[in-house]
Amino acid sequence: MRILSGIQPSGTIHIGNYFGMIKKMIEAQNDGELFAFIASYHALTSVKDKEFLEKNIFEAAVNFLALGMDPEKSTFWVQSDVKEVLELYWLLSNHTSMGLLERAHSYKDKTAKGIQANHGLFSYPVLMAADILLYDSNIVPVGKDQIQHVEMTRDIATSFNNTYGEILVMPESKVDEEVATVPGTDGAKMSKSYGNTIDMFGTKKGIKKQVMGIVTDSKELDEVKDHTTCNVYKLCELFMNNDELKDLQQRYATPGEGYGHFKLTLLDKINEHFEPYVQRRQHLLDNPKEVKEILDFGASKARKIASAKMDVIRNAVGL
Ligand code: ADP
Ligand code: TRP
């Protein structure tokens, strides 16, 4: 079973990204054959700054490698290092109706927010279909916002296969209903656009500032506190086992400690959790050549599959 996932190269990652997506993807390496790429072409729809794009692609690679992406076991590459995807994108464009693209929620949402409506943004789902179909992907793990794109991929593949025969493998999306939304420091969904994040690889001082800034009620030291409604406790749930949580509940129920104490407990847990990755990440940041070699190796593995598939597809269409 082949699992394929595209990762948007956003630079700074927070613990919402980690528990909502990255951790699951790393674990997916044990569920099947994982193909994961950094969606550098897709990023061009929103990033028009050369240095910023380069930095984000590099940092996304470093973060995934540091957190356990295994380039031997899985195939991990940068989308734009395998150009075959653009050829397939054009061939699939001829099997994509205007109506299908016009119904895309993400396009409608983005243009409603004032993002310039250009052809790249409009045809984004066709490139995504090419990503998926080029590698004969069976399963595409996605967030709810991306389900429609996988449905569109199936429509495009159906049209293609109806014309040329069973050439393209029909993919399925896999939505993890269990993924809880990680709350931010203000209790709303943690998101870099809300400025309520706790960064994974920030400085010790920066992370402490974010944790100490978590919003709580104003109960005093000598009052009993309610853990069930507390943002600090909700974040602790991500890092603690049941015994540790029971212990913490007891501390909430016993007067004498304040939210500052609970925040320091959370801070220790966060530091302890990510400590093993910090060193590996720093090593990769300091050795960009090594990162490039890993990505080149991934691209060569991906290209082998892509180029064989394109031979079949070109032949089928008469090119
Ligand atoms: P942001 O909202 O900070 O811009 P992105 O939209 O770039 O984050 O999200 C990247 C990935 O991380 C997506 O797969 C998304 O589902 C996941 N993710 C982001 N924020 C959270 C959160 N608060 N809880 C769970 N998952 C999240
Ligand atoms: N559109 C996806 C996102 O915004 C990224 C992506 C590009 C992708 N191509 C893909 C995801 C192919 C899965 C499969 O998150």
Side-chain angles (χ1 to χ4, degrees):
M1 186 186 64
R2 189 166 290 167
I3 306 167
L4 176 125
S5 190
I7 304 145
Q8 289 276 3
S10 60
T12 321
I13 48 171
H14 53 72
I15 62 177
N17 299 139
Y18 179 70
F19 287 102
M21 196 269 279
I22 302 173
K23 186 164 178 270
K24 300 245 168 314
M25 193 184 300
I26 301 293
E27 286 167 359
Q29 298 184 104
N30 301 321
D31 302 340
E33 195 190 357
L34 180 68
F35 275 55
F37 63 91
I38 299 172
S40 50
Y41 283 138
H42 280 110
L44 285 173
T45 58
S46 55
V47 183
K48 306 285 197 285
D49 177 316
K50 170 188 152 75
E51 266 89 38
F52 188 63
L53 183 62
E54 286 170 345
K55 176 174 170 286
N56 280 357
I57 293 169
F58 175 67
E59 284 185 10
V62 165
N63 288 336
F64 274 84
L65 290 168
L67 289 165
M69 179 64 72
D70 179 345
E72 295 289 337
K73 186 169 184 179
S74 305
T75 303
F76 181 57
W77 76 103
V78 177
Q79 183 186 31
S80 45
D81 284 346
V82 182
K83 314 278 189 250
E84 280 81 352
V85 75
L86 290 182
E87 185 178 359
L88 184 56
Y89 161 73
W90 174 250
L91 300 184
L92 296 179
S93 287
N94 294 287
H95 291 271
T96 309
S97 72
M98 289 296 287
L100 187 71
L101 292 178
E102 277 159 1
R103 287 191 293 278
H105 303 308
S106 73
Y107 174 74
K108 287 194 276 191
D109 291 350
K110 283 178 182 161
T111 49
K113 275 191 203 145
I115 296 176
Q116 190 204 355
N118 63 27
H119 180 256
L121 195 63
F122 187 61
S123 64
Y124 182 112
V126 190
L127 182 57
M128 185 156 158
D131 291 325
I132 296 170
L133 299 170
L134 184 57
Y135 298 100
D136 287 342
S137 315
N138 305 111
I139 304 285
V140 185
V142 286
K144 290 200 180 74
D145 60 320
Q146 299 291 321
I147 298 175
Q148 193 193 24
H149 287 154
V150 181
E151 289 307 312
M152 293 166 88
T153 301
R154 293 170 61 91
D155 287 344
I156 295 169
T158 302
S159 162
F160 187 95
N161 283 353
N162 283 343
T163 311
Y164 299 113
E166 291 300 307
I167 307 275
L168 303 175
V169 172
M170 209 50 72
E172 269 172 49
S173 58
K174 185 175 152 227
V175 184
D176 198 338
E177 299 291 348
E178 271 174 43
V179 179
T181 302
V182 175
T185 52
D186 59 357
K189 176 187 184 268
M190 186 177 289
S191 168
K192 57 181 170 300
S193 34
Y194 302 154
N196 63 356
T197 60
I198 298 174
D199 296 334
M200 275 185 59
F201 293 122
T203 58
K204 279 234 154 76
K205 204 168 150 202
I207 296 179
K208 181 167 185 188
K209 190 161 172 234
Q210 291 172 329
V211 170
M212 295 321 272
I214 297 173
V215 178
T216 61
D217 62 33
S218 49
K219 289 216 171 82
E220 302 285 344
L221 286 182
D222 56 1
E223 287 179 275
V224 166
K225 295 164 196 74
D226 180 6
H227 71 271
T228 61
T229 55
C230 179
N231 292 326
V232 181
Y233 184 86
K234 280 183 200 148
L235 287 162
C236 283
E237 284 184 311
L238 298 167
F239 297 94
M240 289 183 175
N241 63 32
N242 280 341
D243 287 346
E244 290 170 318
L245 286 171
K246 272 203 199 112
D247 205 46
L248 185 61
Q249 287 170 19
Q250 197 58 44
R251 289 171 60 192
Y252 272 76
T254 314
E257 285 192 286
Y259 290 111
H261 297 102
F262 304 146
K263 287 176 183 176
L264 288 175
T265 299
L266 171 62
L267 183 65
D268 284 345
K269 281 301 217 187
I270 294 175
N271 285 333
E272 185 187 309
H273 192 91
F274 294 122
E275 189 61 42
Y277 309 115
V278 169
Q279 221 183 340
R280 166 95 179 124
R281 180 172 178 271
Q282 195 56 50
H283 170 83
L284 293 166
L285 284 176
D286 294 341
N287 292 279
K289 252 176 97 181
E290 189 179 325
V291 177
K292 187 174 181 307
E293 273 166 26
I294 294 172
L295 293 173
D296 285 348
F297 172 66
S300 75
K301 284 208 281 183
R303 195 175 302 117
K304 221 182 240 162
I305 307 228
S307 114
K309 186 73 189 181
M310 275 318 295
D311 282 346
V312 174
I313 294 172
R314 271 188 224 110
N315 184 44
V317 303
L319 292 174

